[in-house]
Amino acid sequence: MNRVFTVVCGVLLWVSSVAKDSPKFPVSAIPEALKKDVHVVMREDQMVFTILSKSRATHHVYQAITILNANGKRFAQETVGYDKLSKVTSFKAAVYDAEGMLIKRLKSSEIYDQSAYDGFSLYSDNRIKAIDLSQSTYPYTVEIEYDVEYKYLFSIPDFYVLTRENCSVQHSSCKYVFPKALAPRHRTYNIEVKAVAEPSADGMETLSWTFENVMPIKLDPMGPDLAYVLPHIDGAPTQFEYDGYVGTMDTWDQFGQWVSSLNQGRNVLPEVTKQKIRALVAQAKTDEEKIKILYEYMQSKTRYVSIQLGIGGFQPFEASVVDQTGYGDCKALSNYMVSMLQEVGIPAHYVLIRAGGDASPMDTDFPSSQFNHAIVAVPNKGDTLWLECTSQTNPFGYMGRFTGDRKALVITDKGAKVVNTKRYPADKNVQSRIADVSVEATGDAKAKVKTTYQGLQYENNYLDNAVHLQYDDQRKWVQNNTEIPSFDVNSFSLVNHKDKMPSAEVVLDLRLGRFASVNGKRIFLTPNLMNRSTFVAEKVDGRKMPVVLESGFIDLDTIRYHLPEGVYPEFLPDPVKITSRFGEYESSCVLDQHGLLYVRRLKQVKGQFPAESYKEFSDFYRSVNRADHVKIVLLSKT
């Protein structure tokens, strides 16, 4: 829902000329400790955000960044966004060599000004100014300064003291300037420096933080989201105005009231549509059946197209427009869905959420604009139904990795409330495989495999998209995602089950060339046909961060092996059972009257675990890997 943009403005000093004998930012002036194990050093990183009124603000950024090697090259590039409600008033930059001598100063012709085309917006007034000061000789220093004026006040840009690993800071500062009556709110994370409050010119107030000689942070693998780890400051206004819409956001209720004001009067449907949707649900016996009918009707009638014009980045266009044109963005399609449900007497709520499989978590204690998407929540006898309205293929009620199991803001008639979207526990995310494999004396084999992917595993390797592809593209998916070293596909099928807990079946008929190794009278084969764990936890010394497993799942494999005539097992591995706080693993291989039966079960649990448990986590998967790659030895009687 929220447009992504860079907010910029303020007032700091830019040195307009540098004499050739006056070095600036020589690398030798950096303390040695700040250069150790880093790619870049932030010599200066200054941000000033000034609130002028409820509807005007400026943002000023000044940075000097020494880039020590090619891994820091991206810091030589900068992009500043603007639109019809904002204006880039200044953009300057220069480059200095290792001794601090001026290499070049940015020319206006080197600033690329273009539409911020995102690939899916039908209309957008978002634009960007971009520069690239990359050099081929390291180290060098880039100096960048820009200002942007805003004809609104809605958000305050985050200020990150450290933006990533392998980065240190020599000096940085963050300052808010504001009238006392419009004092912003702020929240600090992983910061011990206290804010300094003091009066400014013209009766304004200031709040500032200053940082010096900040050492690089070491990020541990399998750690928390960066929002929990990196030192940063979040800010937000209390009173604000965006494109004529006035509001307050010091509580979620007040923020929700402002969102409701944007949506007000936009739920009116044409009379002919009202009649049609009432007819569609006339024979439905339950509310859930009605909701499903209208959701699938919406999917068949509309497509997702983003429109970002002014307040349109936050306000849906009318339900009647969606009905007429057949397209809309997440806000418009969600509003359309709510409008249809209301027409048949089913209350539904517009919901703001931060979507994406790698989206940072919502800070529920800091009311502010934190969202990039809109969905719909429908109360249903204590079991809320969640509707993703931008997909034409999404199963009814399925949120998945895009918006599942996270905090969201439900907009109600009275304001808003924070809720958690649908959770997907491990026992719902199941990959279940049954295979029948006939092994030949040559080591070749034939296999018939049926794998069912359920819950979040429905999205494995984009299977949820593959089920809707044409035959040739589905065949490519099978070729790319069948984890057997050598095989030919005789036939296959992909079957989709669009339930609230969706699943898909992949059925394969395969020819396996050289599946087993033959050495004299012995045949060696790995009984784990196509689900062998290869994960190796990165070695970490002195870990400080907790271990985070983002999802829980269960994998089940049952593989029946038919052996060649006159061949019997010389070696069968012992059953394996591994239990840890991170999950469970069991595997066994037994001989019966039908041949060999291999059974495997792996469960991983979702959660956050103490830093000292990382070795146990590493040992767990090392043991799983070892068990998954064990071989059976078959011996010929002849």
Side-chain angles (χ1 to χ4, degrees):
M1 170 192 162
N2 235 343
R3 291 170 305 163
V4 179
F5 51 79
T6 309
V7 198
V8 211
C9 260
V11 203
L12 272 177
L13 182 65
W14 174 270
V15 179
S16 60
S17 62
V18 179
K20 289 186 177 181
D21 58 350
S22 301
K24 195 173 186 183
F25 307 115
V27 175
S28 60
I30 304 173
E32 287 300 318
L34 294 181
K35 292 189 285 187
K36 185 179 179 181
D37 299 326
V38 300
H39 305 315
V40 298
V41 180
M42 303 294 295
R43 313 294 294 277
E44 287 287 345
D45 185 9
Q46 303 174 13
M47 180 190 101
V48 180
F49 188 83
T50 304
I51 297 174
L52 300 171
S53 70
K54 288 183 184 178
S55 60
R56 287 186 61 219
T58 64
H59 183 207
H60 177 89
V61 170
Y62 174 78
Q63 294 179 325
I65 309 162
T66 295
I67 301 170
L68 299 176
N69 54 56
N71 292 316
K73 181 179 178 180
R74 66 165 294 274
F75 284 86
Q77 303 164 352
E78 185 60 89
T79 301
V80 183
Y82 69 100
D83 57 25
K84 74 172 188 177
L85 295 176
S86 59
K87 179 182 179 182
V88 180
T89 58
S90 175
F91 202 169
K92 304 173 183 178
V95 189
Y96 304 89
D97 65 16
E99 284 70 43
M101 307 309 294
L102 180 67
I103 297 175
K104 68 170 293 183
R105 194 171 299 285
L106 182 73
K107 299 176 183 177
S108 58
S109 59
E110 295 172 317
I111 301 175
Y112 302 97
D113 192 328
Q114 61 193 56
S115 173
Y117 180 62
D118 53 22
F120 52 80
S121 292
L122 184 60
Y123 302 110
S124 174
D125 58 13
N126 292 345
R127 296 189 64 82
I128 60 170
K129 289 180 181 287
I131 62 172
D132 187 345
L133 298 173
S134 301
Q135 304 293 307
S136 58
T137 302
Y138 297 92
Y140 62 91
T141 299
V142 294
E143 184 182 34
I144 300 169
E145 183 178 24
Y146 57 84
D147 296 271
V148 178
E149 292 181 355
Y150 290 90
K151 297 178 182 178
Y152 61 85
L153 175 64
F154 183 67
S155 61
I156 297 175
D158 300 339
F159 181 81
Y160 275 78
V161 183
L162 292 171
T163 58
R164 58 175 57 199
E165 272 189 305
N166 307 116
C167 174
S168 63
V169 175
Q170 194 167 4
H171 182 272
S172 70
S173 64
C174 171
K175 179 185 284 189
Y176 302 151
V177 182
F178 51 89
K180 188 173 183 179
L182 296 176
R185 294 168 295 117
H186 68 274
R187 188 171 170 85
T188 62
Y189 306 81
N190 305 303
I191 286 175
E192 296 180 359
V193 172
K194 301 299 181 184
V196 176
E198 54 188 359
S200 181
D202 303 323
M204 302 283 269
E205 304 284 329
T206 69
L207 195 65
S208 62
W209 296 260
T210 301
F211 308 90
E212 291 186 351
N213 297 326
V214 181
M215 301 300 291
I217 192 169
K218 177 69 170 69
L219 299 178
D220 291 328
M222 314 294 293
D225 186 271
L226 293 182
Y228 292 125
V229 175
L230 296 177
H232 66 284
I233 303 166
D234 286 354
T238 297
Q239 302 178 62
F240 66 93
E241 180 178 337
Y242 194 102
D243 209 7
Y245 289 83
V246 178
T248 57
M249 64 168 74
D250 56 338
T251 69
W252 286 122
D253 264 346
Q254 290 173 324
F255 184 78
Q257 289 170 19
W258 182 78
V259 175
S260 291
S261 73
L262 300 184
N263 298 0
Q264 192 170 359
R266 294 176 173 263
N267 60 347
V268 179
L269 294 167
E271 190 59 38
V272 64
T273 300
K274 293 179 181 180
Q275 295 174 11
K276 181 170 186 175
I277 63 177
R278 286 197 294 265
L280 284 172
V281 302
Q283 303 303 315
K285 296 180 174 58
T286 66
D287 279 355
E288 183 167 330
E289 189 178 349
K290 293 178 183 178
I291 298 164
K292 187 173 188 290
I293 289 170
L294 292 183
Y295 177 72
E296 292 179 348
Y297 169 72
M298 183 272 302
Q299 286 184 301
S300 68
K301 180 180 173 60
T302 64
R303 61 188 175 93
Y304 174 75
V305 174
S306 179
I307 296 181
Q308 307 286 349
L309 297 172
I311 193 66
F314 305 97
Q315 182 181 60
F317 46 85
E318 295 88 343
S320 59
V321 174
V322 177
D323 190 72
Q324 179 183 357
T325 62
Y327 60 73
D329 62 11
C330 61
K331 304 177 297 296
L333 295 173
S334 295
N335 179 64
Y336 182 57
M337 189 72 225
V338 169
S339 302
M340 289 196 296
L341 291 170
Q342 288 174 342
E343 181 58 33
V344 297
I346 298 176
H349 302 298
Y350 184 82
V351 179
L352 299 181
I353 196 167
R354 188 177 287 179
D358 57 355
S360 295
M362 175 185 174
D363 186 343
T364 58
D365 296 325
F366 190 64
S368 54
S369 177
Q370 301 180 34
F371 314 102
N372 62 1
H373 193 52
I375 57 175
V376 173
V378 190
N380 185 41
K381 298 178 181 179
D383 180 24
T384 300
L385 290 170
W386 300 92
L387 306 179
E388 169 56 62
C389 299
T390 61
S391 170
Q392 294 172 294
T393 59
N394 203 71
F396 167 69
Y398 180 64
M399 292 289 99
R401 294 186 176 97
F402 190 57
T403 52
D405 197 5
R406 69 196 66 193
K407 299 298 181 182
L409 191 69
V410 173
I411 308 301
T412 69
D413 294 337
K414 299 179 181 179
K417 60 180 179 180
V418 176
V419 299
N420 206 90
T421 60
K422 187 174 181 63
R423 292 183 171 91
Y424 295 89
D427 61 357
K428 300 296 183 183
N429 307 319
V430 180
Q431 175 185 291
S432 178
R433 176 174 292 118
I434 298 174
D436 196 83
V437 183
S438 298
V439 181
E440 300 170 1
T442 60
D444 295 338
K446 299 174 183 176
K448 293 187 177 180
V449 186
K450 177 182 176 182
T451 309
T452 302
Y453 302 83
Q454 177 186 290
L456 296 181
Q457 300 226 46
Y458 173 71
E459 301 178 42
N460 286 3
N461 300 314
Y462 303 102
L463 174 59
D464 54 326
N465 293 325
V467 292
H468 303 288
L469 299 176
Q470 297 298 313
Y471 176 86
D472 287 346
D473 290 324
Q474 286 188 342
R475 188 179 184 89
K476 290 178 184 176
W477 186 93
V478 169
Q479 292 281 1
N480 293 333
N481 294 286
T482 300
E483 296 181 0
I484 299 176
S486 176
F487 66 93
D488 293 309
V489 180
N490 296 325
S491 64
F492 73 91
S493 66
L494 276 63
V495 181
N496 190 30
H497 300 284
K498 290 180 62 175
D499 303 317
K500 282 194 295 183
M501 190 61 69
S503 64
E505 294 172 2
V506 179
V507 180
L508 306 174
D509 186 334
L510 305 174
R511 176 74 181 171
L512 310 180
R514 293 180 292 180
F515 171 67
S517 300
V518 179
N519 187 352
K521 293 186 176 183
R522 288 179 172 82
I523 300 175
F524 302 85
L525 68 85
T526 304
N528 188 330
L529 178 66
M530 51 190 295
N531 199 12
R532 302 169 194 171
S533 173
T534 57
F535 173 76
V536 177
E538 183 181 332
K539 186 177 180 181
V540 177
D541 294 322
R543 185 185 179 98
K544 296 179 180 178
M545 298 176 187
V547 179
V548 178
L549 301 183
E550 296 289 353
S551 65
F553 61 85
I554 294 175
D555 283 356
L556 302 172
D557 292 86
T558 302
I559 317 294
R560 165 66 67 184
Y561 287 96
H562 303 281
L563 305 180
E565 279 291 330
V567 169
Y568 68 95
E570 182 182 41
F571 169 77
L572 290 180
D574 293 329
V576 176
K577 185 171 184 179
I578 310 167
T579 303
S580 82
R581 71 182 87 186
F582 304 100
E584 305 161 356
Y585 176 90
E586 292 181 78
S587 67
S588 64
C589 193
V590 297
L591 180 67
D592 60 21
Q593 66 271 30
H594 302 294
L596 286 174
L597 182 65
Y598 172 78
V599 178
R600 175 189 187 269
R601 178 181 183 270
L602 171 64
K603 177 180 181 179
Q604 177 179 287
V605 298
K606 176 179 179 176
Q608 181 167 300
F609 308 88
E612 58 270 20
S613 69
Y614 186 71
K615 184 178 184 305
E616 180 186 341
F617 172 72
S618 177
D619 290 344
F620 174 69
Y621 269 99
R622 188 179 294 112
S623 298
V624 170
N625 292 354
R626 188 163 49 246
D628 274 355
H629 288 80
V630 70
K631 290 185 181 294
I632 293 171
V633 182
L634 306 175
L635 183 64
S636 173
K637 295 178 182 179
T638 59

